[in-house]
Amino acid sequence: NIPVCLCVIMAANSSTGSATEPPGLETQWREIDNLSQQQLRAGDSWYLLDKRWYDQWKEYVHAGDQNSSSYPGKIDNTELYEDLDSYHLKERLSENEDFVLVPAEAWHKLLSWYDMMDNQPPLERKVVDLPSTVKVEVYPVEIYLCLSSNMESTVSIRQHFNVSETAESRLWMRSTDTSSERLRNLNMTVLDACLSSGMVKYTPTIYTPKLWSSVMLCNHLDSYRGPPGVCGLTNLGNTCFMNSALQCLSNTPPLTEYFLRNSYLEELNFTNPLGMKGEIAEAYADVIKQMWSGRHYSVVPRVFKTKVGHFASQFLGYQQHDSQELLSFLLDGLHEDLNRVKKKEYIELRDADGRPDQEVAEEAWRNHLRRNDSVIVDTFHGLFKSTLVCPECNKVSVTFDPFCYLSVPLPVSKERVMEVFYVSLDPTAKPTQYRLIVPKAGQVIDLCTALSQATGVPPNQMAVADVFNHRFYRIYQADESLSCILDRDDIFVYQLSSGCVDQEGEEVVMAIYMRERSHYRDYGSGSNSYSTSLFGHPLLISVPRAQCTREDLYQLLLKRLAGSTDTNSQDATDGDQSTGVEPSGKEEEDEDEEEEEEEEAASCAQANKRLPGRRRYTERQKKALFTIQAVNSNGTTERGMGEADAQPYIAIDWDPDMKKKYYNENEAEKYIKHQSMDVPHQQITVQLQECIELFTTVETLEEENPWYCPTCKKHQLATKKLDLWSLPEVLIIHLKRFSYTKYSREKLDTIVEFPLR
């Protein structure tokens, strides 16, 4: 049997139940941090954890406050799944950007403290032992088997084939719809066989050897004939990064002709300590010869993939990688494997000392060739002119350095497209999704200004918040940078009745959460209160300080929820007059409930004193649609209504029956799209020359990478300028597609127009 590392797609399991009481916040951080430092060991289990949830947890434990707004809630890996039916992992996820990896013991601790969202399966992955390294196999190979007689009906590898033990069996790998390869070495690993997520054909042998040979012969005679070089490369599983680089090099005439003429055979360098014993060059030559033979519609580069992974462990497995990183490795590997210099001599570099640039450049190139001489140098290497100027003594240092490719930046747009949901004061209006253009280096107030132009609402009457898991993950101040808002964040902008976001005034901005109360009291948690769960979208509203009583808040909130609350029935209309405190004295309630309700009602006693006696009596007989409770920023811990808080948080608690009867959850979740969402985003187009000019502009060195000035005898933040002194026969230009900030990595979608010559 072939040793197989299986990825078993497990059915979604149910939640683990109530979380246990966690230790103190400092203890939590210390325990998880210590466990996360442990080394990878083959066979151990590690778990994927949503990066956003993990960051929120870190912020929570570092805040040192159990009531901190950064309380993460249940572990939620929703963003890592392709869908919530199969719970299959999304493709192309990046570690430390989309997810973090934690060892099993750390995972089980977090799970016991915080629980996990219902029905989500844990994302367990194994540590595998690979050549020269060990790593967590985030994307294991998924293998399915089928009988040769039925290629359409596949079964899981866990299921058994009722194949006789005496029957001769063979394994075949289906590479494409029309071709298969036999896996002859049954002792090789999945990695060595380059098996990818796809189909393995399991064949009980039913042919005689003579008949089987005839079948194979017929297949060989019907082989493909086509134009040399017009040949595809089979995707072995997320290997498009490798195939695209190979296709580029395959269509580089000087290099391809070199290998097709077998010129490489005389120049293979088996002793170069920086090389790969000629193995990369030979594997590459084999791929090129197949592609240019004219006998293949497509080639399966399995051996090449295996060799690359053997010498560069970062390319092991089947995760996504950067094509330029692969190309850089391959060019360097081919150069060292084909280096005509068998013994590299030591060369002491001379300073320019005022000599002409031409003289210094020729000297630098001669020195380069004394250590590096190959077909890669002949074809792809050129010279930079690097000029450094000391800001203190004005010392000028000029050097000439060889290069194999240019990594040029793209002009970064100073604007940014953001999508937000706008919630107006009109209770009947649905939230509206807008697409806005804002300054990339702007502040939150700039976002409000852009939205103001579309809505006509003054910017100072807007509040901006990040909504996550039915609560406010963060409420932004007007002067905060927009760079801390990620494109994937759900940003809500709320209209307030007056400009009171950043100033002391007669109004208070309140955060409102929607909670559903369970049918039963949670006696197991040490209290006799009802457990609650958040639902729906939260609200931000401004309330006059004089109306911060329960009765006034109830009336205000009832009107605010008019668009999702059925207030047409007689019961709801009666509820309009309620204080929002459930009445006591009902005969069907037990004594404990009576005491609790009476205590709640007492908080509104002052307001009730102003009502006629008959009306007060009527009030106590009417059922409120919901109750109001002051809570912490997470909507979990109840607080007194009178407690001072920089940002008051209020929960609207719904009895399940009342919510089902009067609250239309589907209606409340609806939103409309503004016409700005229909306008396609215009892609910016730049010329390649602009990228090169940006590459050659003067820049000041960063503090992390200063230059040692030989005159000042100290490190200086010198100015640096790169110029292209001499270009190779074939110039490789790498476009830097990512722009990095403190908070995120942004992929640029700028179109670069370039000449063919």
Side-chain angles (χ1 to χ4, degrees):
N1 295 328
I2 296 182
V4 175
C5 178
L6 294 178
C7 173
V8 181
I9 307 300
M10 304 297 294
N13 67 330
S14 59
S15 176
T16 58
S18 299
T20 61
E21 186 67 26
L25 300 183
E26 184 178 346
T27 303
Q28 288 186 44
W29 168 249
R30 185 171 61 252
E31 290 186 9
I32 300 301
D33 185 53
N34 288 340
L35 289 171
S36 299
Q37 303 301 322
Q38 68 185 50
Q39 299 295 315
L40 297 178
R41 295 183 304 179
D44 285 356
S45 291
W46 285 61
Y47 289 79
L48 275 72
L49 195 57
D50 181 80
K51 178 67 160 53
R52 182 167 178 172
W53 186 94
Y54 185 71
D55 286 345
Q56 189 173 352
W57 171 79
K58 285 200 302 183
E59 183 178 341
Y60 172 62
V61 294
H62 287 151
D65 179 8
Q66 295 282 357
N67 294 322
S68 168
S69 61
S70 54
Y71 177 75
K74 291 183 178 182
I75 296 174
D76 187 1
N77 285 335
T78 300
E79 294 300 318
L80 302 183
Y81 301 117
E82 192 70 48
D83 57 70
L84 297 182
D85 294 323
S86 66
Y87 287 98
H88 196 277
L89 196 65
K90 284 181 181 177
E91 294 184 0
R92 306 182 184 182
L93 295 178
S94 300
E95 185 178 356
N96 296 323
E97 183 175 329
D98 301 301
F99 66 88
V100 295
L101 289 166
V102 296
E105 189 175 351
W107 164 261
H108 290 303
K109 283 182 180 291
L110 290 171
L111 188 62
S112 68
W113 297 338
Y114 295 93
D115 203 356
M116 192 173 187
M117 296 296 288
D118 292 344
N119 299 321
Q120 286 192 7
L123 291 169
E124 179 184 6
R125 294 296 186 264
K126 293 290 185 181
V127 179
V128 294
D129 192 1
L130 302 172
S132 73
T133 188
V134 291
K135 65 185 298 185
V136 178
E137 192 174 32
V138 175
Y139 290 96
V141 180
E142 299 174 18
I143 299 178
Y144 296 87
L145 302 181
C146 67
L147 292 170
S148 60
S149 58
N150 188 356
M151 286 294 290
E152 299 301 322
S153 177
T154 64
V155 296
S156 168
I157 199 170
R158 294 177 300 171
Q159 297 179 339
H160 296 286
F161 295 97
N162 294 321
V163 179
S164 171
E165 294 182 1
T166 59
E168 180 184 356
S169 300
R170 296 174 181 174
L171 281 173
W172 295 78
M173 177 70 183
R174 188 173 73 174
S175 303
T176 65
D177 292 336
T178 58
S179 64
S180 299
E181 300 175 52
R182 182 180 174 187
L183 303 176
R184 298 180 180 276
N185 185 355
L186 300 184
N187 296 314
M188 70 169 57
T189 64
V190 169
L191 176 66
D192 292 335
C194 286
L195 297 185
S196 60
S197 296
M199 180 79 70
V200 174
K201 176 181 173 183
Y202 183 97
T203 309
T205 302
I206 56 176
Y207 303 107
T208 63
K210 182 177 181 180
L211 178 58
W212 185 252
S213 299
S214 300
V215 173
M216 296 301 294
L217 179 61
C218 291
N219 288 338
H220 178 71
L221 293 176
D222 292 335
S223 60
Y224 172 82
R225 289 289 186 274
V230 182
C231 180
L233 290 169
T234 299
N235 193 328
L236 303 176
N238 286 334
T239 56
C240 51
F241 73 94
M242 180 184 79
N243 292 354
S244 59
L246 286 174
Q247 289 286 11
C248 286
L249 288 183
S250 170
N251 288 277
T252 303
L255 187 63
T256 295
E257 291 170 5
Y258 172 85
F259 280 99
L260 294 180
R261 291 196 309 264
N262 288 329
S263 301
Y264 73 98
L265 293 175
E266 299 176 358
E267 297 184 341
L268 285 171
N269 191 330
F270 301 105
T271 60
N272 186 353
L274 299 178
M276 301 165 198
K277 301 178 181 178
E279 294 184 30
I280 284 293
E282 290 180 322
Y284 176 77
D286 182 59
V287 172
I288 294 300
K289 289 179 179 179
Q290 290 186 64
M291 294 177 68
W292 287 82
S293 66
R295 296 196 303 268
H296 304 287
Y297 178 78
S298 65
V299 171
V300 184
R302 295 191 184 280
V303 175
F304 180 80
K305 168 72 168 60
T306 303
K307 292 295 183 183
V308 169
H310 180 74
F311 289 106
S313 61
Q314 68 268 32
F315 298 116
L316 285 169
Y318 301 94
Q319 298 187 47
Q320 286 285 337
H321 295 284
D322 183 74
S323 187
Q324 167 62 18
E325 186 182 359
L326 185 280
L327 182 62
S328 175
F329 160 79
L330 180 55
L331 290 173
D332 185 63
L334 290 175
H335 162 64
E336 297 295 358
D337 269 4
L338 300 169
N339 199 341
R340 301 171 186 123
V341 178
K342 306 303 180 183
K343 186 177 181 180
K344 297 187 178 184
E345 58 181 304
Y346 171 76
I347 299 174
E348 186 172 350
L349 299 179
R350 293 175 55 198
D351 192 86
D353 286 334
R355 291 181 294 162
D357 284 350
Q358 184 69 33
E359 179 184 340
V360 180
E362 290 175 354
E363 179 183 79
W365 185 249
R366 286 196 304 270
N367 289 339
H368 180 57
L369 293 179
R370 288 164 65 184
R371 293 174 57 86
N372 302 278
D373 184 13
S374 70
V375 65
I376 302 300
V377 175
D378 298 340
T379 310
F380 300 106
H381 283 206
L383 270 185
F384 284 140
K385 176 186 177 183
S386 176
T387 305
L388 289 164
V389 180
C390 177
E392 189 171 315
C393 69
N394 293 323
K395 162 70 176 177
V396 178
S397 173
V398 177
T399 59
F400 292 85
D401 305 301
F403 69 88
C404 187
Y405 52 84
L406 304 182
S407 286
V408 300
L410 273 63
V412 178
S413 171
K414 296 181 179 180
E415 295 180 333
R416 173 185 177 186
V417 176
M418 295 186 69
E419 295 179 3
V420 302
F421 294 93
Y422 174 68
V423 182
S424 74
L425 283 175
D426 183 358
T428 63
K430 301 297 180 191
T432 305
Q433 188 179 26
Y434 286 85
R435 180 174 290 157
L436 307 171
I437 298 178
V438 298
K440 182 168 290 186
Q443 298 178 330
V444 171
I445 188 62
D446 296 311
L447 172 64
C448 296
T449 301
L451 186 58
S452 174
Q453 295 174 358
T455 62
V457 176
N460 66 341
Q461 292 184 18
M462 295 180 181
V464 181
D466 181 357
V467 175
F468 180 62
N469 274 351
H470 313 295
R471 58 168 64 89
F472 290 118
Y473 178 74
R474 185 170 178 180
I475 299 175
Y476 295 99
Q477 300 298 318
D479 59 353
E480 289 190 72
S481 173
L482 287 176
S483 61
C484 61
I485 299 180
L486 306 182
D487 289 337
R488 65 177 182 230
D489 293 343
D490 291 325
I491 301 301
F492 281 69
V493 181
Y494 300 87
Q495 180 187 2
L496 304 176
S497 59
S498 63
C500 56
V501 181
D502 291 320
Q503 60 190 32
E504 292 286 337
E506 293 301 317
E507 296 202 353
V508 178
V509 178
M510 286 190 171
I512 311 297
Y513 291 154
M514 305 287 283
R515 301 196 306 186
E516 181 175 1
R517 207 174 70 175
S518 67
H519 279 287
Y520 307 101
R521 296 180 186 274
D522 188 12
Y523 294 103
S525 64
S527 69
N528 64 348
S529 61
Y530 292 94
S531 63
T532 58
S533 59
L534 293 171
F535 70 93
H537 296 310
L539 284 171
L540 279 177
I541 63 173
S542 54
V543 183
R545 291 184 183 275
Q547 296 182 18
C548 289
T549 65
R550 261 195 171 91
E551 180 181 7
D552 292 332
L553 281 176
Y554 180 84
Q555 301 298 333
L556 188 150
L557 292 172
L558 193 65
K559 294 177 182 177
R560 193 68 179 81
L561 298 175
S564 57
T565 305
D566 181 9
T567 59
N568 294 323
S569 69
Q570 184 61 41
D571 288 345
T573 304
D574 291 343
D576 262 357
Q577 302 169 2
S578 171
T579 61
V581 179
E582 292 202 19
S584 61
K586 295 191 294 292
E587 294 179 359
E588 66 272 20
E589 292 182 341
D590 59 29
E591 294 181 2
D592 288 340
E593 281 195 81
E594 287 182 16
E595 292 177 4
E596 179 184 336
E597 305 292 1
E598 287 174 359
E599 288 176 4
E600 280 194 81
S603 65
C604 294
Q606 187 66 32
N608 287 338
K609 285 180 181 179
R610 299 193 298 269
L611 300 175
R614 181 176 179 81
R615 182 177 175 186
R616 289 204 307 271
Y617 174 78
T618 305
E619 285 291 320
R620 294 171 62 81
Q621 304 306 313
K622 292 173 181 175
K623 182 76 170 178
L625 295 188
F626 50 78
T627 59
I628 301 172
Q629 176 62 51
V631 294
N632 66 354
S633 57
N634 306 308
T636 55
T637 305
E638 296 183 352
R639 310 176 71 174
M641 288 289 288
E643 290 186 31
D645 199 334
Q647 176 69 67
Y649 289 83
I650 303 296
I652 297 177
D653 285 348
W654 288 83
D655 175 83
D657 295 331
M658 298 296 282
K659 174 175 178 273
K660 184 177 181 181
K661 188 174 183 180
Y662 298 115
Y663 186 83
N664 190 332
E665 196 160 357
N666 289 333
E667 192 69 19
E669 294 291 329
K670 290 181 180 178
Y671 68 93
I672 59 177
K673 289 189 176 183
H674 185 259
Q675 60 185 12
S676 60
M677 296 295 297
D678 299 326
V679 179
H681 175 49
Q682 292 184 345
Q683 288 190 315
I684 301 173
T685 302
V686 300
Q687 300 296 320
L688 180 61
Q689 185 63 31
E690 295 179 61
C691 302
I692 295 177
E693 290 173 357
L694 188 59
F695 176 75
T696 56
T697 56
V698 178
E699 61 178 359
T700 302
L701 297 179
E702 298 178 348
E703 293 183 0
E704 297 80 12
N705 187 31
W707 171 64
Y708 184 80
C709 176
T711 303
C712 298
K713 305 297 183 183
K714 62 180 180 180
H715 288 91
Q716 299 279 17
L717 299 182
T719 59
K720 180 179 181 179
K721 187 179 189 306
L722 285 177
D723 289 297
L724 304 179
W725 180 262
S726 63
L727 298 181
E729 181 180 359
V730 177
L731 177 62
I732 299 175
I733 300 178
H734 165 226
L735 305 176
K736 293 183 179 179
R737 279 289 174 187
F738 291 96
S739 174
Y740 295 89
T741 69
K742 180 180 179 182
Y743 299 94
S744 64
R745 182 184 70 165
E746 176 192 5
K747 186 172 184 178
L748 307 177
D749 59 359
T750 307
I751 295 177
V752 179
E753 294 184 345
F754 56 91
L756 296 179
R757 293 186 181 274

